[in-house]
Structure formats: C-alpha cells, structure tokens
C-alpha cells in the first residue's frame, strides 16, 4: 500500500517532467546539496531548443559524462587493505588445479589481481547486471564516507545494509550503472594480454552507454564489433518481442589481434554428423563413390532446415580422400601465366579453358593434378573443377548474428543442479564457441560477473573438445538469494555457492562423458574469498596503551588467520600467480611452504631457529619470507640476513 505524501507537490519536478515530454534531450542528471543524484535540466540545451540561432555556451566536445564519473575514476585507482583467503573445503583438487574461483566484490578482486595477472588474460567474458530498474547488488558508494550520508541518500535499509535503488524515477538510472561499470572495465583492461579481447553481454537498456564507456576505456579504434544473440521469442513485451541481446567486443590492442595467425576462427557446426554419415555410407558401399555420393545427397535432403549440417549440403561429392565440393577453377582476370592447356587424363585432349584462364599458375596446377585434387568430367568438353575438401574447410569466421534458444541452457542447468535454482543462465555452448575462437589451448579466461558459473563450464567443454589446457578465473559476489527463490529453498546461502556447485557438477559430467582412454581434464578450482588484510592494526598512541597489554600488541598478524592465509597474501604482494603448486614440509620442527618448486619458500611459525634459516638459504630459493616477530631480537634478524647474503645472495628475503 502506498503512503500519502503528506507534503505540497514538488512543482520543480513537475515542471521537469513537462519539459521532458517536450524536449527529452534537455533532461540530465546532477547532484543536490547532499550529494544525491537527481534529474535536472540542461539549461544550455533548453536555450538552444528555444532559439532560432546557435546559442553561445560551454565548449562542446564528444564525451560520455554522468554525475559520479570522477568518483568512479578515483575508485578504480584507490588502494584497498584486503586480501584473498583460501577456502580448501570449498575447493576441488586444491593442490593441483590451475583454476580460481574468487568469492567477493569484483571491484576488490580486480584490484587484488592486478600484479599477479597483469597482461596475462587472453579473454574476458562478462554478463553484468542489466539495468532493469531493480536494486543494485554492486553498491560501491564511492562518495560515501559517513553513515549520515548513507542515511540521507537512501542507500541503507532499516538494518543498515547498503541498498542502492536504481529505479528510473530516482534520477540515477544510468549514472549508478555507469559508475558501477567504469572502474571495473578500467581494471579489467590492465589484465588483458596485448592480443586479448573482452566480450560483454548486454541488453537494449545500456547497450549504447556500454559501447561509449568501453570506447573510452579501450579506445574506439579497438572496437571489434557486436554480436547479436537471438535467444527465442518472448511474449512479455508490449510493442516488440525482445528476443535478443548483444555481445559487445573490444580488443586490448586490435593491431596485435590482427597479427595472430588463424585468429578468430570457429569450427563449423554439423561436421561430425556429416563425417559419421560418410563413414556409414562408405562401409555400406565400399569403393563405389557414386553410390556414396548419392546416399549423402539423400541424407542432406531429409535434414531439417535448421539442422547445422544442412548448411554444408554442397559438400556432396566424394572420393577415396573424403567429402568435397567441386569448386570453380576460373581466374577472375587474366594474367601472363593464367592461360595454358590442361589435358584430360582419359582422352588426352586439352579441356575447355575459362575465359581468363586458370586460377592457379602452371606449377601449382601440376601439383594439384599429381595429388588428385582436380575433378575431371567424362571427357575434355566438361571443364574440370577443384576438389575443396570439407576437412580443409572446417573453420569459419564467427557470424555476428546467431540463434540459440535460451530455454535450452535453463533446462540443462536445472537437470545438472536438480532444480531451477538460477534464473536465465547463459548458454554454456554459446560461451564455448567464444572460448574456441577467442583463445588458444593454454590461455587464461576471466569472468568477474560469474553468476551461475557458465564460463567455467564453457572452458571445460572446449578443453574436452580440443584437448586444451585453458585456465579460468571466476569472481562472484557473495550475494544472498531472495528468501522466496528456489536457490534459498534448496539451502544455498549465497549465489557464489550456487556457482561453485554448478562448476563442481559440470566438471564431473565433462570428465564422465570423455573417452575412457583420455587423461582427465583439470576440472578443479582453488576457492578464495576476499577479506580484510591479515595484518592487525597495531598503531596506538601512548595514551591508548598501558603497560599490561603491551605483550598482546606485539603481533602484527590477526589471531584468526592461518599460515596459508598469510601465504596467499604474500603471493599477491609479490605478484605471483595464485595457482602455483604449493608443498608443505617440516624443517627443524617448523612448517615450511615451498611454492613453485623453490620460487618461494615461506615459514610463518612464530619462532624460527638458525637451522631453519640456513636450511632454507641452502635451497637457494628465488624468494624467502618469514614472520617479523619470529625473530626474538634484532640480532637474530640480522644474522638471518647475513646467512642468506653468504649462502644465497640472489634470494630476495622479506618479513611480514
């Protein structure tokens, strides 16, 4: 039930509404005295609408602007005192996997990954929240520094939880969304390799704004194109059935993308079915090529028009090498070497020559003849053709418009999880195609709006298909599902839990469906969660400290943090990848972590002996790290440094 306003009408807003009906282009957004974003009128634009000449005003320039843009830029660069803590119990094959699943806000995650994965990601796919007018889950509140501001700007609920209403009526509809996306795209760009690209799913509401924002971040010249995904007819629209969404594609550096050999090719659909039918016909008819070809043409005719194999029905000729399409050998325009005689293999006479001669030079034609790649007619009166084998033309450039029924993905996910616990998941087979043409076999893929975990599923499917060893990093906010949702009824506490469970089950399914004689795929992941720094706040003024509690303040590490927690913060600080192999050992009764076979050796025991220090130094690791408070005196710390200086002078030694 709506509440009475109990105030006089807001005539200013009423006037803005009236002007918006007459001149939609003069409505903009600004901040009020309290910092809240609201609708306003661009008076320079209004003056121009009401004038019969060009009105003088501020200098014009082409740009995308919105209230909060500078704060969003600041947010991208501002440091955070956070870390990633391992969750072994939530992981799959923690010690061996090369995949990561990070739980927490993706803005924090992207910042934490900057050094370890700078320029290492080949493909980023994201499906950000569409601007539907619902409440945002990602609430950065860049300008919020006090509870008063959050209260008066309506960004907290009665319990004090952050809540940013994003309805069109509050005047922040586009600004909040752009402020959310801008810093994330800037940070994501840093992670892309020079020949990498980002694919962004989006609907009509923010497609234009996302394009302009991405053009600012990546450069308009790095715009690759837009794919249109037709996902099936919807009947919930008033005027037209919105049955599509877009995938905007920007390259990190399009010139580097252009230099890739064989870049952005995808295997044609329906080929396996054609090869299977050819094999069946060959077994049935033996060496009778005419019978095999006749049977193949009959098979094509009975296929449905939407069957992907039907696209290749022109590949209906066969020989002992396989299925081929007779291609024209004519030259488009004559050259000095395009006209020469080609003789029929049976009659020995010169065959009919095209008007401008042959497509291939004489020596190339001789090679093709020797390899039986030229098809002749019964005599010289029939012009020969080139045998273009299907096996030589399996790849194609991806189409910008494609149709995949969106209901299929929902059904498969429901079957996998045993219930409809996630609404409108992305199709893993569509994403698999993107992974196929956008990456090589050992590349890294990032999805920082992981949702139901479709990207990880797609990576595993493509690795199963071509034997690749691609890795992925998924980031998902620990968003609590709505109380009435199926996910909540199934006992999932967060969307991240749903995503992890989907990846677990998908990994098992992918491995089960592989041939028994193939090596298992890496279907595991290291689960990490974003948390506050492991380091305790030990700074105190003399007035805040008494002699009795001085001993309690000696440790700079929080009491609830494990040694493995410390290790992962060290990996981040040193810019090391978070999936490096980790081995635990005991040296003189102390636990030691050996990372990457000696790339880093760490000991976080609260005391270390000279024997431990020397044993680590004798292994000559690239890096070594200890707790600062593990050395009882400054003299012990200095002695440790001296040991490394003598035994392993190239080791970088640090303390936390």
């Amino acid at each position: 039930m709506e509440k009475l306003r109990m105030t006089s009408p807001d005539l200013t807003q009423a006037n803005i509404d009236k002007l918006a009906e007459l001149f939609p282009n003069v409505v903009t957004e600004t901040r009020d005295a309290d910092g809240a974003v609201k609708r306003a009128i661009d008076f320079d634009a209004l003056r121009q609408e009401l004038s019969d000449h060009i009105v003088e005003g501020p200098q014009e320039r082409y740009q995308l602007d919105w209230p909060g843009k500078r704060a969003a830029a600041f947010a991208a660069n501002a440091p955070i005192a956070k870390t990633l803590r391992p969750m072994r119990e939530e992981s799959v094959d923690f010690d061996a996997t090369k995949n990561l699943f990070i739980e927490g806000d993706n803005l924090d995650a992207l910042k934490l990954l900057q050094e370890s994965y700078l320029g290492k990601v080949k493909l980023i796919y994201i499906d950000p929240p569409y601007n539907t007018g619902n409440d945002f889950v990602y609430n950065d509140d860049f300008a919020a520094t006090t509870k008063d501001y959050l209260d008066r700007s309506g960004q907290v609920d009665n319990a004090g939880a952050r809540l940013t209403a994003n309805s069109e009526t509050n005047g922040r509809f586009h600004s909040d969304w752009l402020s959310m996306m801008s810093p994330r795209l800037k940070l994501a760009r840093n992670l892309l390799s020079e020949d990498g690209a980002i694919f962004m799913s989006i609907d009509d509401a923010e497609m234009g704004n996302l394009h302009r924002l991405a053009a600012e971040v990546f450069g308009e010249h790095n715009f690759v194109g837009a794919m249109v995904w037709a996902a099936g007819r919807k009947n919930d629209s008033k005027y037209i059935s919105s049955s599509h969404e877009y995938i905007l594609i920007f390259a990190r550096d399009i010139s580097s993308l252009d230099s890739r050999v064989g870049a952005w090719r995808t295997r044609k659909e329906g080929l396996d079915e054609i090869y299977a039918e050819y094999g069946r016909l060959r077994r049935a008819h033996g060496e009778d090529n005419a019978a095999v070809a006749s049977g193949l043409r009959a098979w094509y005719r009975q296929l449905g028009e939407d069957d992907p194999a039907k696209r290749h029905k022109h590949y209906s000729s066969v020989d002992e090498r396989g299925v081929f399409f007779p291609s024209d050998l004519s030259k488009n325009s004559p050259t000095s070497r395009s006209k020469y005689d080609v003789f029929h293999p049976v009659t020995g006479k010169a065959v009919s020559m095209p008007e401008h001669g042959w497509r291939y030079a004489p020596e190339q034609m001789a090679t093709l003849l020797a390899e039986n790649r030229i098809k002749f007619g019964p005599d010289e009166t029939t012009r020969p053709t080139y045998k273009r084998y299907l096996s030589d033309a399996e790849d194609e450039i991806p189409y910008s418009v494609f149709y995949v029924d969106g209901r299929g993905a929902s059904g498969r996910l429901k079957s996998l999880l045993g219930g409809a616990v996630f609404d409108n998941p992305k199709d893993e087979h569509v994403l698999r195609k993107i992974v196929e043409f956008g990456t090589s076999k050992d590349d890294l893929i990032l999805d920082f709006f992981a949702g139901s975990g479709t990207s990880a599923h797609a990576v595993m499917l493509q690795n199963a298909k071509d034997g690749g060893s691609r890795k992925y990093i998924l980031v998902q906010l620990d968003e609590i599902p709505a109380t009435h949702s199926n996910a909540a009824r199934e006992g999932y506490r967060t969307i991240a839990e749903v995503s992890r469970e989907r990846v677990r089950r998908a990994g098992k399914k992918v491995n089960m469906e592989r041939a028994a004689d193939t090596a298992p795929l890496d279907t595991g992941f290291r689960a990490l969660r974003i948390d506050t720094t492991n380091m305790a706040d030990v700074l105190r003024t003399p007035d805040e400290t008494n002699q009795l509690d001085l001993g309690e303040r000696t440790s700079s590490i929080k009491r609830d943090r494990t040694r493995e927690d410390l290790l992962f913060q060290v990996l981040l600080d040193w810019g090391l990848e978070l999936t490096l192999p980790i081995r635990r050992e005991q040296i003189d009764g102390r636990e030691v972590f050996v990372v990457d076979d000696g790339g880093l050796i760490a000991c976080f025991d609260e005391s270390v002996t000279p024997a431990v220090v020397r044993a680590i130094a004798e292994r000559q690791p690239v890096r070594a790290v200890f707790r600062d408070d593990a050395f009882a005196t400054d003299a012990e710390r200095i002695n440790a440094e001296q040991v490394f200086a003598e035994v392993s002078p190239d080791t970088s030694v640090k303390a936390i």
Side-chain angles (χ1 to χ4, degrees):
M1 181 180 296
E2 293 186 4
K3 294 183 179 180
L4 292 173
R5 187 176 63 244
M6 302 297 287
T7 65
S8 62
D10 186 340
L11 297 180
T12 299
Q13 289 303 312
N15 289 333
I16 290 175
D17 292 339
K18 293 174 183 177
L19 286 171
E21 292 182 12
L22 294 172
F23 310 109
N25 60 303
V26 307
V27 179
T28 184
E29 296 177 353
T30 187
R31 292 192 182 274
D32 63 18
D34 292 327
V37 183
K38 65 176 185 177
R39 288 207 310 170
I41 295 297
D42 182 339
F43 288 102
D44 288 321
L46 180 60
R47 287 173 59 207
Q48 186 61 66
E49 289 291 342
L50 301 176
S51 300
D52 59 0
H53 59 279
I54 297 177
V55 175
E56 294 297 325
Q59 184 176 359
E60 296 175 329
R61 56 180 174 173
Y62 183 79
Q63 65 174 355
L64 175 64
D65 207 0
W66 70 90
K69 184 176 183 179
R70 281 175 293 186
F74 171 79
N77 299 323
I80 56 173
K82 295 188 178 183
T83 189
L84 292 172
R85 299 179 65 186
M87 299 190 294
R88 278 185 173 267
E89 69 283 359
E90 295 289 344
S91 304
V92 176
D93 200 13
F94 184 95
D95 290 319
T97 186
K98 296 298 182 183
N99 303 312
L100 288 177
F101 188 105
I102 299 174
E103 178 180 305
D105 193 305
N106 52 18
L107 183 60
D108 294 336
L110 290 168
K111 290 185 177 185
L112 291 170
L113 297 174
Q114 287 297 297
E115 293 192 46
S116 297
Y117 293 94
L118 183 70
K120 295 182 179 180
V121 176
K122 180 61 69 68
L123 185 148
I124 297 175
Y125 172 80
I126 57 172
D127 180 25
Y130 297 164
N131 207 357
T132 60
N134 297 322
D135 294 338
F136 267 164
V137 175
Y138 293 87
N139 305 307
D140 301 318
D141 296 335
F142 306 129
T145 57
T146 68
K147 181 178 183 298
D148 289 341
Y149 173 73
L150 292 173
D151 288 338
R152 69 174 179 263
S153 59
Q155 296 180 60
V156 291
D157 61 19
N158 293 333
R162 295 271 180 99
L163 179 67
T164 303
N166 194 45
S167 62
E168 293 190 56
T169 58
N170 79 348
R172 304 184 307 200
F173 187 63
H174 297 294
S175 295
D176 284 347
W177 193 86
L178 287 167
S179 290
M180 183 272 293
M181 290 296 298
S182 176
R184 289 165 172 83
L185 290 184
K186 288 180 179 179
L187 292 167
R189 179 180 179 272
N190 297 336
L191 301 179
L192 276 176
S193 61
E194 287 298 311
D195 60 346
I198 184 170
F199 293 69
M200 301 171 285
S201 286
I202 196 66
D203 67 351
D204 288 307
E206 296 293 352
M207 191 274 193
N209 280 337
L210 181 59
H211 187 149
R212 293 178 65 191
L213 177 61
E216 280 194 3
V217 173
F218 293 92
E220 182 64 50
H221 61 287
N222 287 318
F223 176 57
V224 176
M227 302 179 78
V228 180
W229 178 354
R233 184 174 180 82
K234 295 181 180 179
N235 296 317
D236 56 355
S237 300
K238 186 175 182 180
Y239 302 108
I240 61 172
S241 175
S242 297
S243 58
H244 70 280
E245 63 180 56
Y246 303 95
I247 302 176
L248 293 179
I249 310 167
F250 278 81
R252 175 66 175 82
D253 179 357
I254 202 163
S255 61
S256 296
L257 196 64
D258 291 340
S259 67
R260 284 176 56 187
V261 177
W264 290 34
R265 295 291 188 273
T266 182
R267 192 170 185 267
K268 297 172 181 175
E269 297 288 344
L271 300 186
D272 293 336
E273 291 77 4
I274 296 173
Y275 292 144
E277 180 62 18
Y278 168 76
R280 187 190 70 79
L281 291 168
R282 181 61 76 188
R283 289 189 296 273
H285 300 291
E287 297 180 1
D288 189 344
N289 290 334
V292 173
S294 177
L296 189 59
R297 286 190 288 271
W299 178 76
Y300 279 128
R301 286 194 294 271
Q302 58 85 36
L303 293 177
E305 290 302 319
D306 58 347
D307 193 305
K310 189 122 181 178
R311 285 181 50 211
H312 315 299
K313 63 183 181 181
H314 51 292
Y315 283 93
S316 57
S317 297
V318 301
D319 64 8
E320 66 282 356
R321 188 181 277 114
V323 182
F324 68 87
F325 160 62
S327 177
D328 187 20
L329 279 169
S330 300
K331 188 78 171 177
N332 291 331
S333 57
T335 66
S336 60
R337 306 187 68 214
S338 64
K339 292 188 176 184
Y340 53 87
D341 286 334
V342 174
F343 298 96
H344 194 275
V346 176
T347 67
K349 297 180 181 179
V351 298
S352 172
M353 184 190 303
E355 179 183 359
H356 299 306
W358 305 105
R359 182 191 308 170
Y360 300 106
E363 57 272 16
Q364 291 174 290
M365 181 66 82
T367 299
L368 295 174
L369 287 167
E371 294 177 349
N372 191 26
R373 287 180 172 264
I374 303 299
K375 179 184 179 182
F376 289 91
D379 57 39
E380 69 278 1
T381 61
T382 303
R383 187 173 296 168
T385 55
Y386 171 67
K387 296 179 181 179
R388 188 174 299 280
Y389 289 95
L390 184 59
S391 58
D392 294 334
E394 291 189 343
D395 295 337
E396 63 185 357
I397 297 174
Y399 285 86
S400 64
V401 180
F402 61 94
Y403 171 81
V404 175
D405 193 331
R407 293 170 297 184
S410 297
R412 291 191 298 272
L413 184 58
K414 180 179 179 180
S415 175
L416 185 66
L417 293 178
V421 298
F422 205 95
D423 296 331
N424 304 315
K426 282 293 175 283
D427 192 301
E428 68 273 20
H429 295 296
V430 172
L431 267 60
R432 184 200 64 77
K433 297 292 287 186
I434 292 174
V435 170
E436 177 189 20
F437 68 74
T439 67
S440 299
K441 289 187 177 182
D442 60 350
D443 284 333
L444 177 62
I445 295 91
L446 168 65
D447 182 349
F448 53 90
F449 288 99
S452 67
T454 306
S455 293
H457 195 168
V459 171
M460 292 186 287
L461 286 172
Q462 184 56 33
N463 282 342
K465 191 174 183 66
D466 65 7
S469 57
R470 298 170 185 83
K471 290 86 58 184
Y472 64 77
I473 300 175
L474 262 58
V475 185
Q476 175 55 41
L477 187 70
D478 51 346
E479 174 189 354
I480 300 174
T483 54
H484 61 276
S485 66
N486 289 332
R489 284 193 288 268
E490 291 292 327
Y492 292 104
R493 294 173 298 174
T494 66
I495 299 301
E497 281 192 1
V498 179
S499 186
R500 283 193 296 266
E501 184 61 21
R502 188 265 179 86
V503 178
R504 289 188 195 100
R505 297 192 185 192
K508 290 179 181 179
K509 187 172 187 292
V510 169
N511 264 327
M512 286 176 58
E513 292 175 348
R514 302 190 75 209
D517 58 345
T518 57
L521 292 173
D522 178 4
T523 56
F525 56 86
R526 279 186 179 174
L528 309 171
R529 65 182 172 90
I530 299 171
D531 206 337
T532 57
T533 177
N534 295 314
M535 313 314 293
D537 181 8
V538 296
L539 296 177
R540 296 290 187 278
T541 64
D543 293 340
E544 296 175 316
T545 309
N546 61 63
Q547 191 170 2
L548 295 177
D549 66 6
L550 280 175
E552 298 179 1
R553 300 192 186 278
T554 56
S555 177
S556 60
I557 297 169
K558 293 177 180 176
R559 294 181 178 179
D560 65 336
R561 302 306 164 95
T562 68
R563 293 166 182 169
E564 199 163 56
D565 289 337
L566 301 180
L567 177 64
F568 273 82
Q569 184 154 359
V570 168
L571 293 177
L572 287 171
D573 289 348
W574 240 315
L576 300 176
E577 293 187 11
L578 303 175
T579 54
L580 292 174
I582 301 169
R583 189 172 69 252
R584 295 173 189 252
E585 296 183 8
Q586 290 288 321
I587 299 178
D588 196 26
R590 270 67 173 177
E591 184 179 48
V592 171
F593 293 96
V594 181
V595 180
D596 197 24
D597 211 17
L600 167 68
I601 298 182
C603 180
F604 299 117
D605 277 48
E606 295 183 6
S607 68
V608 294
T609 63
V612 173
V613 173
R614 181 164 291 276
I616 293 175
E618 287 175 348
R619 297 194 183 190
Q620 297 186 329
V622 178
R623 308 165 189 85
V625 62
F626 304 90
R627 288 177 63 132
D628 186 58
D629 56 8
F631 302 99
T633 65
D634 289 341
E636 289 186 10
R637 186 183 299 106
I638 294 170
N639 288 338
E641 293 172 352
Q642 187 62 31
V643 169
F644 274 94
E646 294 175 358
V647 178
S648 184
D650 293 331
T651 299
S652 177
V653 185
K654 292 186 179 182
I656 61 170

